[in-house]
Amino acid sequence: MSDSNMQYVTSTSFLLVAYAKYLTKSHSVVRCGGTIVTPKRLRTLAKKQVDYLLGDNPLKMSYMVGYGPRYPQRIHHRGSSLPSMAVHPGKIQCSAGFSVMSSQSPNPNILVGAVVGGPDQHDRFPDKRSDYEQSEPATYVNAPLVGTLAYLAHSFGQL
C-alpha cells in the first residue's frame, strides 16, 4: 500500500503470535499445501516483521519514534511538533499551529514509542511532517505492536 503500512505489519504480527500461542496450547501445526506451519515458524515471522519496524530494513530506520540511532524526526503530531510550554509559555491558537507544519526542523518534543505510518510500497520514507500518510502515529498502529512485543518478550528463547 502507499500509506500507513505499519498498521498491517503490527496487526499481522499480532495475529501471527496469537495463532502461534493457540497452536502451542493445542499441540498442533497447520498444513498449507506442502508446507507445515509450526508455532515457531509463526513466531519467527512475527519477530522478523517487528525487526523490520525497529530498523532492520533498507533505510536502517526505526519507525518507532525514539528507538535506535535513526528514527522519524518530523512526525505529524501536534503535541510533538509545537514548541513546549517552557519555550513558548503563551497560548498557541489553533490556526497558528499550521505554521509549524511546513518547517524542516525536527519536532521539539519526541513522542517516544509512537509508531508512524512507515514507508511506502517502495520502502521510501520522506520524514516530512506534512506527509501524514507516512509520518502520523496512531493507536491502531501501536496497539497490536504492544501485544506482539509482550508475547515475544514472554517467549524469548523459544524462537
Side-chain angles (χ1 to χ4, degrees), residues 10 53-54 62-68 71-72 75 110-116 137-139 141-143 145-146 149:
T10 59
L53 185 150
L54 295 177
S62 169
Y63 295 107
M64 178 183 280
V65 177
Y67 183 84
Y71 55 85
I75 68 171
I110 300 173
L111 196 61
V112 176
V115 178
V116 297
T139 55
V141 179
N142 269 73
L145 179 62
V146 172
L149 291 173

Side-chain angles (χ1 to χ4, degrees), residues 70-81:
R70 185 167 183 232
Y71 55 85
Q73 302 290 313
R74 295 161 200 82
I75 68 171
H76 186 92
H77 185 273
R78 189 172 181 91
S80 179
S81 59

